[in-house]
Amino acid sequence: METETKELVSWMRGHDSSVSSISVHGSGRYAITTSTDTAQLWDLDTFQRKRKLNVRQSVGIQKVFFLPLSNTILSCFKDNSVFAWEFDTLHCKYQLPTPVEGSVLLYKVFAVTRDGRIFVAGGKSNHLHLWCLESKQLIRIIHMPAKVRAVRHLEFLPDSFDGGSSQVLGVLSQDNIMRFIHIETCKLLFDIGSHEEGISTAAVSPNGRYIASVMENGSLNVYSVQALTREASKPPPPVFKVVEDWSKCMSEANKLTIRVTSGRSERPWKPKGSKIQTRLLKLPVNTSLENKENELPGGLNKKRLLALLKGFGEYPAKYRMFVWRSLLQLPENHLAFSSLIDKGTHDAFVNIQKDYPIKSRKLLRVLQRTLSALAHWSAIFAETPYIPLLAFPFVKLFQNNQLICFEVVATVLVNFCQDWFEYFPNPPVNILSMMENVLAHHDKELLQHFIKHNVTSQVYAWPLLETLFSEILTREEWLKVFDNIFSNHPSYFLMIVVAYTICSRTALLHCNQTGDFEYFFHHRNNLDINVVIKEAYHLMEATPLDIHPQCMLDDFMPLTKGQYPIFHKYPKFIVDYQTQERERIRQDEIEYLRERQLAHELEAKAQKQKAEDEAWYRKQELLQEAEEQRWKMLLKEEEKLAEQRQRLAAVRRELKVKELQFLDASRRCFLKHQQQQRQMELKRLDDEIARKASMREQEAAAAAQDAEVRRMELESQRQLFEQHLIKDQEAVTKEMKEEVDAHRKKVDLEDYLARRLMEIEREEKQKAQIVAEEDLAKAEQKHIDTNWRLQALHKLRRDDQDREKRYEEIAKLLHDNRVKEAKLMKAMREAEEKRDTLNISVVQWEEVTQKKAQLEEEQKAAAAADERRQQFLEDKMNDTLELAEKLQREDGYFERPRDLKAGCRERGVPHQQVPRSGNICLNDLSASESSSHMSLDRRRELAWQEQQLMAEVRQLRQKLTSQAQTRHPPTCFQATVWTP
């Protein structure tokens, strides 16, 4: 159900018996419903059943529920076995072991702490079994007080600071008192409820602060746990001790206030302003024993209620059910009623919906259960046909509380239907005779009218009795009537029937037919019910004792507590005979139904077989007709096929003749075509031969022309090559001359520079000697510069050594040049010899060209070396001039560099080409002279070797040129373009 809209969301069907418990998983997605024979797992998202747990009927299921904070399902069976199942796989995790002998009890109720570690079980005993689910062991057996004989409900009292391991357990026992104990210390902390104000069921709030309990009188009490625990720790006040003494000594009753129970002194924690305290009534001092008999449960008094009823005519609708339960003194035997309900639906009321088609399914189900319980209580009620009519008004009133409904109906049957079943199965003649006597005493005329028209008490009294006035009264009128019936002696019920008849005398006296009388007592009439009630009270007072029903009927006796009384005031042999007859009839009916079912099955099979046979015959007829049609069609097709075969044979013959003619014509055409092809092939071969012959002639002529052209080209190339070679020789000779002249000039310049350098050094030495003689004192001051000059001298020596190495490299390069020129001359001679035969090849000419290019590269490398050498000499000259200028600035005795440069210009030598000398030490003149003489000699030797080499090269080239001119004089060619 949807709680907000109060609409039905889903109806999950699957249980054959009533559901005893519902457990919801912590996620809210799954639920387990438990009944006595099965437990089913439901998916609350789709409202579909996932799994079902079936057990043997002899075992039965007590409860199946989810453990908190886990995915474990705990199942408890009636044989005291407890199994734990894994929720995901539904595999059995473990089974709790069987308790030791002497401590076995039938488990009925269970409770688990919020952390799912402690499991408590109880049942029809004052022992509680405390299990640890982690170790799967029984850790403690709690022995409840002797007053506790059975445990009805268990509930742990949670605490905000216990982490889910609750230590306080609430135990609701059979005496309707809920006791709260500490499971570790086994100490009784406090209790709620009493024998008179018993607790039907209780629930604890999730935070453990409040306890809500539904009382047996229908009220709902809410207790504060904090107040209960606080008041329980205080000592009881003296007033409760007085109450306890009053219960022991009845003589001091005038000093006491009546409590609900003498055990109230054990519960000093109830606040003074609670609901229970407001129900306490103080008795006057002169309380009599008669008034005590009028006291009712719940603090009500029967005389006061009767006075209230006579004053207002009815009880308040708000408190009517409570007043009825107090007047009837219902025992509320839960266990006895549960045992009757557990027996199931009685056979007499299995098909009650056929006789009483009630629209409300719930009302029909409650009626069926109530009637079944009555039938199981006493067999007479299963055979009484008017029991459903009698019980239906109370079922409709108490449909939400089946126990109260059953006990009200049972109380009515025991007290207000006394002696009804002595003449079973006939109506209660003795009761009807009582009412007829009362009617005869108070209204003889009406009775004579009934006798005159053969109307007996079974017509005017029995319909009202068996329906309890439900046919002739409205709901409000019926409730008002039964307010008075329940508040008076059971005989008042009969007086109401007589009063109703007397009050209707005017209408009844005008009735002359039996049908009119029957209609009158089965339908509602225009009659004031208050008048009927007053008339009933008048009849109760005015009827003589000898005919008064009160003298013949017993006083009101409530149902006994614990077990319902035995009801056997009926002819047992008749009931047993009817029961046997009904059982025989039921068996005959079952047999008849079975035979009828078998007959229906046989008839259905026969009909089916007949239908199959008819269908088969129809099918055979259709097949025969179809076969005849097919035979006719086949004959026609065969005739057509024979005609088509004849036509096809004729067409084949014509086609064969045409094919032969066509083959003959095609053969002739092919022969003719083949002859034409051969002629064309011969003609093509002749043309091909002629074409190839002409091509050969043309190729020969072209080859001769090409040979002549090739010869002319070779000749022109030879002449052109000779011309280029002569030009190259002249250019090489000219270049060699220029190089020799330049080299000679360079050598002369170097010699001049060397001589000039020697002169400068000699002049410097002379000036140095003069300076040394004139200023010896300055020599010591410049002693510091001596080291620097010494370093300069070492540097000069290193430079001379580097210069000698360069000269050696130059000599090596000149030697390599000579070797390469020799190779070149040799190659040129070979080329001249090959040129005489005019068979020089292009590849050899390329080699000569490459060698010539190689010679040019070597000449360029030699020129670059000369340039480097000349640059070296110029750098030396510049260094020398800078040193001289520096010395002149320091001493003033050297020639100024600009004068030296001017002198050089006058002699026609550029000043850049004067080599620079290093700083010369005054004490090392001999060493510098020797080194300068060695470098000059080496230069002269290298220059002389270079001049000899160049002269040999010139002579060799002149010789080669003259030989070439004498051997091959120049020839004149036509102007041609030659491409290498």
Side-chain angles (χ1 to χ4, degrees):
M1 303 293 291
E2 179 66 33
T3 56
E4 295 181 357
T5 60
K6 299 180 181 179
E7 294 180 356
L8 179 65
V9 176
S10 177
W11 189 350
M12 298 182 289
R13 300 176 177 88
H15 285 282
D16 296 328
S17 59
S18 60
V19 176
S20 59
S21 66
I22 299 176
S23 176
V24 181
H25 190 260
S27 62
R29 294 187 55 191
Y30 304 96
I32 294 178
T33 57
T34 308
S35 60
T36 56
D37 56 347
T38 182
Q40 300 186 15
L41 178 63
W42 303 87
D43 188 344
L44 297 183
D45 292 337
T46 60
F47 299 103
Q48 297 295 325
R49 184 175 64 188
K50 294 188 64 178
R51 298 293 292 269
K52 182 179 180 181
L53 175 64
N54 292 319
V55 296
R56 294 193 305 271
Q57 189 175 2
S58 60
V59 177
I61 301 175
Q62 287 289 1
K63 190 175 183 180
V64 180
F65 57 96
F66 287 101
L67 285 182
L69 304 177
S70 67
N71 282 337
T72 304
I73 300 174
L74 213 63
S75 61
C76 309
F77 301 94
K78 290 185 178 180
D79 60 353
N80 284 2
S81 59
V82 180
F83 291 84
W85 310 83
E86 184 65 34
F87 170 67
D88 297 329
T89 60
L90 294 179
H91 292 162
C92 182
K93 294 177 65 177
Y94 56 85
Q95 179 186 0
L96 295 182
T98 305
V100 297
E101 295 183 2
S103 63
V104 179
L105 57 92
L106 296 178
Y107 290 161
K108 291 290 184 180
V109 289
F110 313 91
V112 182
T113 57
R114 290 190 300 172
D115 57 2
R117 296 181 180 179
I118 303 300
F119 170 68
V120 180
K124 293 183 178 181
S125 173
N126 61 348
H127 289 78
L128 296 178
H129 285 184
L130 199 67
W131 295 85
C132 179
L133 296 181
E134 292 182 345
S135 61
K136 291 86 176 176
Q137 297 295 328
L138 180 65
I139 59 176
R140 187 174 290 105
I141 299 176
I142 301 175
H143 189 279
M144 296 297 293
K147 297 179 181 179
V148 178
R149 297 190 303 275
V151 178
R152 292 170 47 196
H153 182 67
L154 293 173
E155 187 84 14
F156 273 102
L157 186 64
D159 192 357
S160 302
F161 305 98
D162 58 6
S165 58
S166 305
Q167 299 296 315
V168 179
L169 177 65
V171 182
L172 179 61
S173 56
Q174 89 290 341
D175 57 358
N176 302 329
I177 298 176
M178 192 167 189
R179 298 171 175 84
F180 288 85
I181 62 173
H182 196 283
I183 60 175
E184 293 293 334
T185 62
C186 297
K187 180 180 179 182
L188 179 63
L189 302 178
F190 58 90
D191 59 2
I192 56 176
S194 64
H195 295 284
E196 285 75 16
E197 294 181 4
I199 297 176
S200 177
T201 182
V204 181
S205 63
N207 56 9
R209 296 181 181 179
Y210 302 100
I211 303 172
S213 63
V214 179
M215 313 304 288
E216 289 187 337
N217 56 13
S219 61
L220 179 66
N221 292 356
V222 179
Y223 300 91
S224 174
V225 176
Q226 183 178 4
L228 291 173
T229 54
R230 184 175 65 248
E231 294 295 334
S233 61
K234 294 181 181 180
V239 66
F240 293 97
K241 293 182 180 178
V242 173
V243 174
E244 186 175 359
D245 294 337
W246 175 85
S247 62
K248 296 178 181 178
C249 184
M250 296 296 295
S251 62
E252 299 180 3
N254 55 348
K255 300 180 182 180
L256 300 178
T257 300
I258 295 179
R259 303 289 178 177
V260 175
T261 174
S262 61
R264 182 71 70 180
S265 59
E266 299 175 2
R267 299 169 59 241
W269 48 87
K270 283 209 171 184
K272 296 181 179 179
S274 64
K275 186 176 179 181
I276 298 175
Q277 290 289 341
T278 57
R279 296 177 184 172
L280 299 178
L281 299 175
K282 291 186 178 181
L283 293 177
V285 179
N286 55 353
T287 303
S288 63
L289 186 61
E290 182 181 359
N291 290 337
K292 292 180 181 179
E293 295 178 355
N294 292 325
E295 290 299 321
L296 299 175
L300 301 180
N301 185 276
K302 189 174 182 181
K303 284 189 175 182
R304 293 185 179 182
L305 289 177
L306 191 58
L308 181 67
L309 179 63
K310 290 183 178 180
F312 294 93
E314 60 180 341
Y315 293 125
K318 183 178 181 180
Y319 302 103
R320 175 177 282 119
M321 299 298 108
F322 174 68
V323 173
W324 282 16
R325 290 168 64 180
S326 299
L327 290 172
L328 299 178
Q329 302 179 28
L330 302 181
E332 299 186 20
N333 299 325
H334 292 274
L335 296 178
F337 178 71
S338 299
S339 64
L340 294 175
I341 291 296
D342 292 341
K343 293 180 180 180
T345 304
H346 197 274
D347 296 337
F349 304 106
V350 172
N351 299 320
I352 192 174
Q353 65 273 10
K354 295 181 180 179
D355 299 329
Y356 302 95
I358 301 173
K359 293 182 179 180
S360 175
R361 295 173 58 89
K362 178 182 178 182
L363 190 60
L364 178 64
R365 186 167 59 251
V366 174
L367 177 62
Q368 188 178 37
R369 290 181 180 178
T370 303
L371 296 177
S372 299
L374 291 172
H376 291 306
W377 177 41
S378 180
I380 185 63
F381 300 125
E383 308 299 331
T384 307
Y386 56 84
I387 284 295
L389 299 176
L390 186 145
F392 181 75
F394 299 103
V395 170
K396 197 168 183 180
L397 280 177
F398 299 96
Q399 57 181 331
N400 294 325
N401 194 333
Q402 300 181 32
L403 172 63
I404 301 300
C405 177
F406 170 79
E407 292 186 349
V408 168
V409 175
T411 303
V412 169
L413 290 172
V414 170
N415 292 278
F416 300 94
C417 299
Q418 297 180 33
D419 304 331
W420 279 26
F421 308 100
E422 292 181 358
Y423 297 92
F424 182 83
N426 299 315
V429 179
N430 52 347
I431 301 299
L432 297 177
S433 299
M434 294 180 191
M435 292 186 289
E436 189 172 353
N437 293 334
V438 173
L439 180 62
H441 181 270
H442 293 282
D443 197 341
K444 293 183 181 179
E445 182 182 359
L446 182 59
L447 180 61
Q448 292 297 327
H449 181 73
F450 287 155
I451 295 172
K452 180 180 178 181
H453 295 89
N454 296 324
V455 176
T456 63
S457 56
Q458 297 183 13
V459 176
Y460 65 83
W462 181 238
L464 304 181
L465 291 177
E466 66 178 356
T467 60
L468 299 182
F469 300 96
S470 60
E471 286 185 345
I472 62 173
L473 299 179
T474 61
R475 176 186 174 87
E476 290 75 13
E477 293 174 346
W478 188 88
L479 293 173
K480 188 179 295 186
V481 167
F482 271 86
D483 284 344
N484 291 270
I485 293 174
F486 289 156
S487 301
N488 290 277
H489 191 271
S491 60
Y492 183 81
F493 181 35
L494 305 181
M495 293 299 184
I496 284 286
V497 177
V498 178
Y500 185 84
T501 306
I502 294 174
C503 292
S504 304
R505 67 188 310 275
T506 305
L508 293 173
L509 291 173
H510 289 82
C511 295
N512 298 320
Q513 297 181 1
T514 306
D516 296 338
F517 291 101
E518 293 178 354
Y519 181 86
F520 183 86
F521 289 103
H522 283 279
H523 293 82
R524 294 178 183 175
N525 301 294
N526 187 13
L527 186 64
D528 187 3
I529 196 63
N530 294 320
V531 176
V532 176
I533 294 173
K534 290 181 180 180
E535 181 64 23
Y537 279 111
H538 172 69
L539 294 178
M540 286 287 290
E541 296 175 357
T543 303
L545 294 178
D546 55 345
I547 60 172
H548 201 295
Q550 186 173 0
C551 298
M552 304 174 189
L553 298 178
D554 297 333
D555 293 336
F556 178 82
M557 289 294 295
L559 299 178
T560 58
K561 283 190 176 183
Q563 294 293 332
Y564 296 115
I566 299 174
F567 189 86
H568 55 81
K569 294 181 180 180
Y570 59 89
K572 193 172 184 300
F573 68 96
I574 296 178
V575 174
D576 294 341
Y577 175 75
Q578 288 193 354
T579 303
Q580 294 174 2
E581 285 295 318
R582 185 165 53 81
E583 182 65 23
R584 184 183 60 77
I585 293 171
R586 190 175 68 83
Q587 294 295 334
D588 294 343
E589 184 178 357
I590 293 173
E591 184 67 20
Y592 166 74
L593 292 175
R594 188 179 63 79
E595 293 178 356
R596 188 177 66 176
Q597 182 68 22
L598 183 61
H600 287 329
E601 292 178 359
L602 293 174
E603 185 179 0
K605 289 181 180 179
Q607 293 292 335
K608 184 178 180 181
Q609 186 65 32
K610 182 179 179 181
E612 289 178 357
D613 294 343
E614 292 178 356
W616 186 79
Y617 284 125
R618 287 197 300 271
K619 187 175 181 181
Q620 293 297 324
E621 292 176 359
L622 293 174
L623 288 174
Q624 290 179 359
E625 293 177 358
E627 187 176 2
E628 292 177 358
Q629 292 179 359
R630 288 192 182 91
W631 275 112
K632 293 179 182 179
M633 292 173 64
L634 286 173
L635 292 175
K636 292 180 181 179
E637 292 295 331
E638 286 180 357
E639 294 176 357
K640 292 180 181 179
L641 185 60
E643 294 177 358
Q644 289 178 358
R645 286 177 180 174
Q646 293 177 0
R647 289 197 296 270
L648 183 60
V651 171
R652 283 181 179 176
R653 287 194 295 271
E654 292 178 359
L655 290 175
K656 194 67 176 178
V657 172
K658 290 181 180 180
E659 184 178 358
L660 293 175
Q661 293 176 357
F662 177 74
L663 289 174
D664 188 17
S666 62
R667 185 175 61 78
R668 293 195 192 96
C669 182
F670 177 72
L671 292 175
K672 184 178 179 181
H673 176 69
Q674 191 174 11
Q675 186 177 4
Q676 291 178 357
Q677 287 289 336
R678 289 179 180 177
Q679 291 177 359
M680 291 176 65
E681 186 69 22
L682 291 173
K683 184 177 180 181
R684 186 179 63 79
L685 291 174
D686 293 340
D687 294 340
E688 186 69 21
I689 291 170
R691 185 178 64 79
K692 287 185 178 181
S694 62
M695 287 179 63
R696 287 177 182 173
E697 293 176 355
Q698 292 177 3
E699 289 178 356
Q705 293 178 1
D706 292 339
E708 185 65 22
V709 170
R710 181 65 177 166
R711 186 184 64 77
M712 293 173 66
E713 288 180 355
L714 292 174
E715 187 66 24
S716 61
Q717 290 178 0
R718 184 183 62 78
Q719 293 176 0
L720 184 60
F721 177 71
E722 290 177 354
Q723 186 177 2
H724 282 292
L725 185 60
I726 294 170
K727 290 181 180 180
D728 292 338
Q729 289 177 356
E730 292 176 356
V732 169
T733 303
K734 186 177 179 180
E735 289 177 0
M736 292 298 291
K737 287 180 180 180
E738 292 177 354
E739 290 177 0
V740 171
D741 293 340
H743 189 269
R744 189 180 296 113
K745 289 180 181 180
K746 289 179 182 179
V747 171
D748 294 340
L749 180 59
E750 289 177 359
D751 294 338
Y752 173 74
L753 291 174
R755 288 194 300 274
R756 181 60 182 165
L757 183 60
M758 291 174 65
E759 291 176 0
I760 292 170
E761 290 176 356
R762 193 162 43 254
E763 291 175 358
E764 291 177 355
K765 289 177 182 180
Q766 292 175 359
K767 291 179 181 180
Q769 290 176 0
I770 294 169
V771 171
E773 293 175 357
E774 291 179 356
D775 197 0
L776 292 175
K778 293 180 179 181
E780 291 181 358
Q781 295 180 358
K782 295 184 179 180
H783 178 68
I784 300 173
D785 299 335
T786 304
N787 294 330
W788 180 80
R789 290 177 182 178
L790 183 60
Q791 294 177 2
L793 180 60
H794 289 306
K795 183 178 181 182
L796 182 59
R797 287 178 181 176
R798 286 195 299 271
D799 293 341
D800 291 339
Q801 291 176 3
D802 293 339
R803 194 180 298 112
E804 288 177 2
K805 290 180 181 179
R806 292 192 187 97
Y807 285 154
E808 289 177 0
E809 291 177 358
I810 291 170
K812 187 177 181 181
L813 290 173
L814 290 174
H815 178 69
D816 293 339
N817 289 336
R818 287 173 189 171
V819 174
K820 291 179 181 180
E821 285 180 357
K823 292 180 180 180
L824 179 61
M825 294 306 295
K826 184 179 180 180
M828 290 177 67
R829 291 191 192 98
E830 291 176 359
E832 289 295 336
E833 291 175 359
K834 290 180 182 180
R835 196 180 296 160
D836 295 339
T837 61
L838 297 177
N839 293 326
I840 185 170
S841 64
V842 178
V843 176
Q844 294 174 347
W845 176 253
E846 291 178 356
E847 291 178 358
V848 173
T849 306
Q850 291 177 359
K851 290 179 179 180
K852 183 178 179 181
Q854 187 176 4
L855 180 60
E856 291 177 356
E857 291 178 358
E858 291 176 355
Q859 290 175 356
K860 290 180 181 179
D866 292 339
E867 289 179 0
R868 289 194 299 272
R869 184 177 60 187
Q870 185 177 359
Q871 184 67 29
F872 175 74
L873 293 174
E874 290 176 357
D875 293 339
K876 290 293 183 180
M877 189 63 186
N878 292 332
D879 293 339
T880 305
L881 291 174
E882 290 177 0
L883 180 60
E885 186 175 359
K886 181 178 180 183
L887 292 173
Q888 184 178 4
R889 283 196 305 269
E890 293 176 355
D891 302 333
Y893 296 103
F894 291 95
E895 185 181 1
R896 306 177 85 179
R898 58 178 176 271
D899 296 338
L900 182 59
K901 291 179 182 178
C904 293
R905 289 193 187 96
E906 290 176 358
R907 297 183 183 90
V909 181
H911 69 280
Q912 290 86 357
Q913 297 179 359
V914 179
R916 185 180 63 182
S917 63
N919 296 325
I920 302 172
C921 183
L922 298 177
N923 297 328
D924 198 11
L925 298 174
S926 61
S928 62
E929 289 177 358
S930 63
S931 63
S932 63
H933 286 299
M934 287 176 64
S935 63
L936 290 173
D937 293 340
R938 183 62 178 167
R939 290 172 187 169
R940 291 191 190 97
E941 184 181 357
L942 291 174
W944 181 74
Q945 290 177 0
E946 187 176 0
Q947 289 176 2
Q948 285 182 351
L949 181 61
M950 295 302 294
E952 290 177 2
V953 171
R954 283 195 296 271
Q955 290 176 5
L956 182 60
R957 287 180 179 176
Q958 289 175 1
K959 186 178 179 180
L960 290 174
T961 303
S962 61
Q963 288 178 3
Q965 288 178 356
T966 55
R967 289 180 183 177
H968 302 288
T971 57
C972 298
F973 294 97
Q974 296 180 0
T976 59
V977 179
W978 180 75
T979 303

